[in-house]
Amino acid sequence: MSIADNTKRILEEIQDLEHTSLTQESVELIAVSKFHPVEAIVEAYDAGARIFGENKVQELQEKLGDLPDFNFHMIGNLQSNKVKYIYDKVRLIQSLDRPSLLKEIEKYGLAAQIKIPCLIEINIADEPQKGGVAVNSVQDFLEHCLDQSHVEIKGLMTVAPDIDDEAYLRRCFQKMFQLREKLNTVYKHELNLEILSMGMSQDYKIAIEEGANMVRIGSKIFGRRQYNG
Ligand SMILES: *Cc1c(COP(=O)(O)O)cnc(C)c1O
């Protein structure tokens, strides 16, 4: 199957799955193009993909150089000292997960007089090796975010554990959904966490059923990556 075929198939499948979703919301596809060349991105675009996800700043910069009008999201661990290269070029930073990074994003937003859209990344299963805010510190972190006037928190993101246990993954996604509901209630006057970004090639069906409205799919569209990241 070609990238174009994969893209079309996934887009159709997502549309079908919207009917199985808890919320019946429409679901946005992020085609995760990391480690794949610009030609692959263009092929997916021509087949209907509109938003692309990258997880390395340098690779993102190179691809933005070739495709300056394309909608890219930063989905990977972001070092604070690299914010300056991408803060006004990506359409969404999905991996905001610590105060030092928040401070740096605010700094550039303030200087440019723009609001930088971000998702808070959650470490939903408390995996020690993983980035993301722990569930029990999200509220503190969110309050810290609300003090920054040049960072706009649009929702939550998670990378679920890499295990083949549907019931367990389903519980992780349910916890994410409930967390967003809770925060939207507590902070109903301050913000609206619209986006719930969860689900990857292995688990996007479960994620959509449990209320994801954004999925990030790489290998099922572009094939295997040479290096995993
Ligand atoms: C690589 C990556 C994906 C896509 O992974 P696949 O399993 O290839 O679909 C999604 N989200 C993040 C944060 C990633 O780094």
Side-chain angles (χ1 to χ4, degrees):
M1 289 278 261
S2 68
I3 291 169
D5 290 338
N6 291 338
T7 305
K8 286 182 196 147
R9 200 190 63 235
I10 295 274
L11 282 168
E12 278 170 20
E13 205 178 349
I14 287 175
Q15 259 200 335
D16 290 340
L17 285 165
E18 284 168 2
H19 304 293
T20 69
S21 142
L22 195 64
T23 58
Q24 307 272 304
E25 271 178 280
S26 61
V27 178
E28 193 99 68
L29 169 66
I30 311 302
V32 178
S33 46
K34 62 191 187 194
F35 293 109
H36 293 283
V38 164
E39 300 74 54
I41 297 177
V42 172
E43 184 176 344
Y45 182 88
D46 288 338
R50 285 297 174 266
I51 311 179
F52 297 88
E54 290 284 338
N55 71 341
K56 297 240 171 356
V57 167
Q58 194 185 337
E59 190 175 343
L60 191 47
Q61 277 181 288
E62 286 167 13
K63 288 173 175 169
L64 275 162
D66 289 325
L67 305 168
D69 299 327
F70 272 52
N71 183 336
F72 281 102
H73 289 184
M74 176 62 190
I75 63 171
N77 175 45
L78 178 55
Q79 285 172 263
S80 298
N81 63 0
K82 295 194 172 158
V83 170
K84 57 175 173 284
Y85 300 120
I86 58 149
Y87 71 96
D88 57 347
K89 298 186 183 67
V90 296
R91 310 281 178 97
L92 185 63
I93 295 173
Q94 295 206 11
S95 44
L96 172 57
D97 68 350
R98 55 192 194 278
S100 56
L101 180 58
L102 174 67
K103 221 174 116 188
E104 197 69 7
I105 297 174
E106 170 65 20
K107 183 175 99 184
Y108 284 98
L110 173 66
Q113 284 300 302
I114 54 173
K115 265 183 181 277
I116 301 175
C118 296
L119 304 183
I120 298 180
E121 181 174 351
I122 308 289
N123 187 346
I124 195 63
D126 277 321
E127 294 173 277
Q129 79 284 8
K130 227 178 224 177
V133 180
V135 173
N136 58 17
S137 6
V138 178
Q139 215 161 318
D140 279 348
F141 185 63
L142 187 54
E143 293 202 2
H144 201 34
C145 293
L146 289 170
D147 291 336
Q148 319 298 318
S149 40
H150 300 86
V151 175
E152 188 181 9
I153 305 299
K154 309 275 284 182
L156 305 179
M157 178 273 231
T158 199
V159 178
D162 185 15
I163 55 163
D164 190 16
D165 178 343
E166 181 176 330
Y168 183 78
L169 291 169
R170 196 174 289 283
R171 281 199 299 280
C172 289
F173 295 138
Q174 287 167 347
K175 268 171 72 180
M176 283 294 293
F177 188 87
Q178 288 154 8
L179 180 63
R180 185 188 59 163
E181 296 291 287
K182 178 183 144 196
L183 295 172
N184 272 337
T185 306
V186 175
Y187 297 100
K188 62 172 178 283
H189 301 298
E190 290 90 353
L191 66 102
N192 178 20
L193 301 170
E194 281 177 66
I195 299 175
L196 190 55
S197 171
M198 56 188 195
M200 308 176 19
S201 291
Q202 295 315 316
D203 54 18
Y204 65 97
K205 291 179 194 169
I206 312 168
I208 292 173
E209 285 171 5
E210 298 304 335
N213 56 18
M214 185 174 277
V215 292
R216 308 177 309 270
I217 300 181
S219 37
K220 278 243 165 107
I221 292 177
F222 295 104
R224 289 221 180 145
R225 294 179 285 276
Q226 204 144 13
Y227 305 99
N228 240 302

